Amino acid sequence: DGGITQSPKYLFRKEGQNVTLSCEQNLNHDAMYWYRQDPGQGLRLIYYSQIVNDFQKGDIAEGYSVSREKKESFPLTVTSAQKNPTAFYLCASREGQGVGQPQHFGDGTRLSIL
Amino acid sequence: AQSVTQLGSHVSVSEGALVLLRCNYSSSVPPYLFWYVQYPNQGLQLLLKYTTGATLVKGINGFEAEFKKSETSFHLTKPSAHMSDAAEYFCAVSGGGATNKLIFGTGTLLAVQP
């Protein structure tokens, strides 16, 4: 079955530690996205990538970094510079190149601070 | 620029009653509109989308939405609520363009009472 796989489902970070969230898709989608979800705030865009080896900052990129070395993979690193990392993180990919195409989401990673 | 307003962060209906979740958008270009559903600790699932053409859009699980340009609205309805409809619902808008970025509303949590 094609889809988006995020791992791990739950992640704990210690103070001063960087952690990496995995996102893999086998849908052959070019564009991929990372969102942060906080209660009552909807989804906010962290980073997005439209093609391999290219990515752009979203609305809340500070304290985060990404890479896009393969079409299938778009890992997100939450660095120690992100002072409030506790949230639910969602990865998405978009079908096709045309305008108005929907995004499809993974099941998320919940990050908490120890 | 685009924005989305979802009126009512919590909506409660009885099983079998009409479901109406409100979404108003702002867009400087013709919008592409989406409704997504999220069950606890899961990702977002696409319910339906409006791109162009027919203004009444039918989606999965018996939901539909009507695009009303004059009212800048895209309300989600279902004639008869089922217990399994209890979830959080997000409206999103995209102006298309090169990035196809989605702007999400803050969500409406639907409770279904027996």
Side-chain angles (χ1 to χ4, degrees):
Chain A
D1 275 336
I4 301 170
T5 301
Q6 291 188 241
S7 62
K9 191 166 182 65
Y10 299 94
L11 187 58
F12 298 90
R13 196 191 88 169
K14 296 180 181 179
E15 292 288 339
Q17 185 181 45
N18 294 353
V19 292
T20 297
L21 285 61
S22 171
C23 178
E24 303 278 333
Q25 55 102 357
N26 60 6
L27 299 168
N28 200 34
H29 290 173
D30 286 315
M32 297 186 73
Y33 305 79
W34 273 105
Y35 293 91
R36 171 181 171 138
Q37 185 177 22
D38 296 280
Q41 295 194 44
L43 278 72
R44 293 181 290 169
L45 183 64
I46 304 172
Y47 267 98
Y48 62 100
S49 168
Q50 297 189 85
I51 56 172
V52 175
N53 293 322
D54 185 55
F55 48 83
Q56 286 80 39
K57 293 182 179 179
D59 301 317
I60 55 164
E62 185 174 351
Y64 300 97
S65 66
V66 294
S67 62
R68 187 85 187 276
E69 298 176 0
K70 298 186 301 181
K71 187 175 186 177
E72 301 80 19
S73 179
F74 191 40
L76 173 74
T77 297
V78 184
T79 74
S80 58
Q82 173 49 247
K83 298 307 180 187
N84 184 24
T86 298
F88 192 49
Y89 291 86
L90 288 162
C91 178
S93 67
R94 191 187 80 238
E95 61 186 74
Q97 296 294 326
V99 295
Q101 294 294 332
Q103 294 179 19
H104 299 274
F105 287 80
D107 279 341
T109 292
R110 188 166 298 280
L111 176 62
S112 303
I113 298 301
L114 283 177
Chain B
Q2 291 82 38
S3 66
V4 172
T5 301
Q6 290 185 242
L7 296 174
S9 58
H10 292 79
V11 170
S12 182
V13 300
S14 299
E15 192 173 18
L18 171 72
V19 175
L20 171 61
L21 304 181
R22 300 179 186 275
C23 173
N24 287 88
Y25 70 91
S26 172
S27 180
S28 56
V29 297
Y32 302 95
L33 295 157
F34 306 85
W35 274 101
Y36 286 87
V37 61
Q38 184 180 36
Y39 297 99
N41 290 312
Q42 293 187 23
L44 275 67
Q45 180 182 6
L46 181 67
L47 277 177
L48 49 80
K49 64 177 182 179
Y50 169 79
T51 52
T52 57
T55 55
L56 183 61
V57 180
K58 294 187 183 298
I60 62 172
N61 301 340
F63 284 93
E64 61 183 35
E66 186 171 10
F67 172 65
K68 292 187 176 181
K69 184 177 179 180
S70 61
E71 299 178 8
T72 61
S73 69
F74 190 57
H75 301 331
L76 182 71
T77 61
K78 182 174 181 178
S80 177
H82 193 271
M83 296 296 290
S84 62
D85 294 326
E88 190 156 23
Y89 292 80
F90 291 92
C91 181
V93 64
S94 171
T99 61
N100 271 301
K101 288 170 61 176
L102 283 179
I103 306 300
F104 286 86
T106 53
T108 297
L109 188 62
L110 175 66
V112 182
Q113 308 298 329

